[in-house]
Amino acid sequence: MQKAVDVGVRNRRQGQFGQVMHRLRKNKVAMVGLVVLLLLIVMALLSPYITPYDYAKTSKADRYALPSWEHPFGCDAMGRDILSRIMYGSRASLWLGLMSTLVSTVVGVLLGSLVGYYGGKVDNIVMRILDIIQAIPGMLLSIAISAALGSGIGNTILALSIGGIPMTVRLLRGSILTVRKQEYIEAAEKINCSKWRVITSHILPNSIAPVIVSVTMGIGNTILQAASLSYIGLGVQPPTPEWGAMLSEGKSMITKYPHLCIFPGLAIMLVVLCLNMLGDGLRDAMDPKLKN
C-alpha cells in the first residue's frame, strides 16, 4: 500500500511539472527572459576564453576611450576594456545572486518545513527570531554584516543570504499550514509514514510553488543588493571586476564619460529584467486558477 501511495504521488508530481512547463513554454515573454538569462550564464562560464581583451590589461593610450569598433563599450580610467570587464564581471554578479539566494532558500525551506508542520513552541521561537531579523531593513542588515565580517565574495554571500531567510520561511510556512490538513496528508500519517517522508514526499511538493516563484524573482533583487554593496566598497574588491564596483569606479566621471556607468548599469538592468520576466511567467504557470 505504501508503494502504491508513493507511485501515485510520483505520477501526480510529474503530471503537475509537465503542465507547468507546458504553460511556461506558451508564455513568450517568460521564454525570452529564460533564453537571455541562459545566454548570460553561458557567457559568464566562458568569459575567460571569449573576452576580446584581458580584463586587467591597462593602457595609458586608451584611458577614457569612447566606444569604438576596437573597444565597443569604451575603456575606463586605466585603459581597461569595459566590454571584457562586463563579460568577466558577470561571473561575480551572477554567482553572488545565485549562491546567496540558494543559501537563504535552503535554510528557509528547512526552517519553514519545521515550523509549518510541527507548529507550537517551535513555531513561536523561530518566528519571533525571524521577526527580529525582518525588522531590520534588508540592505542595512547586509551592510552591517559586511562591515563586521569584511569584504570578499564569501562574506558578501553570507551577508546577502541572512536577509532573505525570513521571507522564504513565511511563504513556505503559510503554504504548509494550508496543505497539512488535507486528506492525503492524513492518509499518509494513518499508514504510518514517517514524519520525514510526510514532509519531503507529500507536504513540500505541494507547498513549494510560491517559494520557487519568489526565489526566481529574488535572485534579481539579490544581484541589485550585491551591486549596491560593491558600489559602497563592501562587496567584491578590485581588481576582480563586478558590475556594482564598475559603477562605483565610474561615478566620479559620469558627466564627462557617461559610458563608464551606462554599460555596467545596462548589464544589471538586463539580468534583473530577465529574472523578473521569468518569475512572472512561473507565477502564471503555477497559478492554480489557470489549471484546466
Side-chain angles (χ1 to χ4, degrees), residues 55-59 74-76 78-82 85 239 249:
Y55 73 88
K57 182 181 179 181
T58 61
S59 173
C75 296
D76 63 8
M78 301 181 67
R80 298 172 296 192
D81 182 64
I82 293 179
R85 291 180 62 77
E249 292 172 0

Side-chain angles (χ1 to χ4, degrees), residues 197-232:
R197 181 181 291 273
V198 171
I199 293 174
T200 57
S201 298
H202 303 285
I203 291 181
L204 270 182
N206 293 283
S207 308
I208 202 70
V211 176
I212 294 175
V213 176
S214 175
V215 165
T216 304
M217 303 184 74
I219 294 174
N221 184 55
T222 305
I223 290 175
L224 282 175
Q225 288 190 353
S228 300
L229 288 178
S230 297
Y231 184 83
I232 61 178

Side-chain angles (χ1 to χ4, degrees), residues 162-180:
I162 293 176
I165 293 174
M167 181 60 69
T168 303
V169 174
R170 289 185 181 280
L171 276 175
L172 189 59
R173 173 180 176 271
S175 187
I176 288 178
L177 289 176
T178 302
V179 169
R180 63 182 294 189

Side-chain angles (χ1 to χ4, degrees), residues 22-285:
H22 176 69
R23 285 194 292 270
L24 183 62
R25 284 195 296 268
K26 293 195 298 184
N27 190 324
K28 295 182 179 179
V29 174
M31 293 309 297
V32 169
L34 177 60
V35 170
V36 175
L37 185 62
L38 290 176
L39 290 176
L40 289 172
I41 293 174
V42 171
M43 181 190 73
L45 294 174
L46 299 180
S47 58
Y49 312 103
I50 62 176
T51 52
Y53 300 93
D54 183 353
Y55 73 88
K57 182 181 179 181
T58 61
S59 173
K60 291 184 178 180
D62 292 327
R63 294 180 70 246
Y64 297 116
L66 297 177
S68 62
W69 286 109
E70 186 177 2
H71 300 285
F73 288 2
C75 296
D76 63 8
M78 301 181 67
R80 298 172 296 192
D81 182 64
I82 293 179
L83 174 60
S84 300
R85 291 180 62 77
I86 287 178
M87 293 175 66
Y88 199 90
S90 63
R91 296 166 65 90
S93 296
L94 293 176
W95 179 255
L96 286 173
L98 291 171
M99 286 305 299
S100 300
T101 307
L102 177 63
V103 171
S104 63
T105 301
V106 170
V107 176
V109 166
L110 289 175
L111 290 177
S113 300
L114 290 176
V115 301
Y117 183 73
Y118 288 99
K121 292 184 178 179
V122 175
D123 187 8
N124 288 329
I125 293 173
V126 173
M127 296 310 295
R128 297 299 76 77
I129 294 174
L130 295 181
D131 285 341
I132 295 173
I133 296 176
Q134 206 164 20
I136 305 172
M139 193 63 219
L140 181 60
L141 180 63
S142 299
I143 291 173
I145 297 174
S146 294
L149 298 179
S151 58
I153 292 181
N155 291 338
T156 302
I157 290 174
L158 180 60
L160 294 171
S161 300
I162 293 176
I165 293 174
M167 181 60 69
T168 303
V169 174
R170 289 185 181 280
L171 276 175
L172 189 59
R173 173 180 176 271
S175 187
I176 288 178
L177 289 176
T178 302
V179 169
R180 63 182 294 189
K181 297 302 182 182
Q182 298 295 322
E183 293 180 355
Y184 59 87
I185 301 298
E186 295 181 4
E189 293 173 342
K190 292 297 183 181
I191 61 174
N192 295 324
C193 280
S194 65
K195 292 182 178 180
W196 175 255
R197 181 181 291 273
V198 171
I199 293 174
T200 57
S201 298
H202 303 285
I203 291 181
L204 270 182
N206 293 283
S207 308
I208 202 70
V211 176
I212 294 175
V213 176
S214 175
V215 165
T216 304
M217 303 184 74
I219 294 174
N221 184 55
T222 305
I223 290 175
L224 282 175
Q225 288 190 353
S228 300
L229 288 178
S230 297
Y231 184 83
I232 61 178
L234 292 175
V236 179
Q237 298 299 301
T240 303
E242 196 272 338
W243 295 338
M246 293 176 68
L247 284 173
S248 180
E249 292 172 0
K251 65 182 179 182
S252 60
M253 301 296 291
I254 188 172
T255 57
K256 194 172 183 180
Y257 303 105
H259 67 280
L260 298 178
C261 294
I262 288 176
F263 294 110
L266 287 176
I268 296 173
M269 184 196 73
L270 178 62
V271 69
V272 173
L273 176 62
C274 291
L275 285 164
N276 286 339
M277 290 163 60
L278 179 60
D280 285 338
L282 280 174
R283 181 197 59 202
D284 294 340

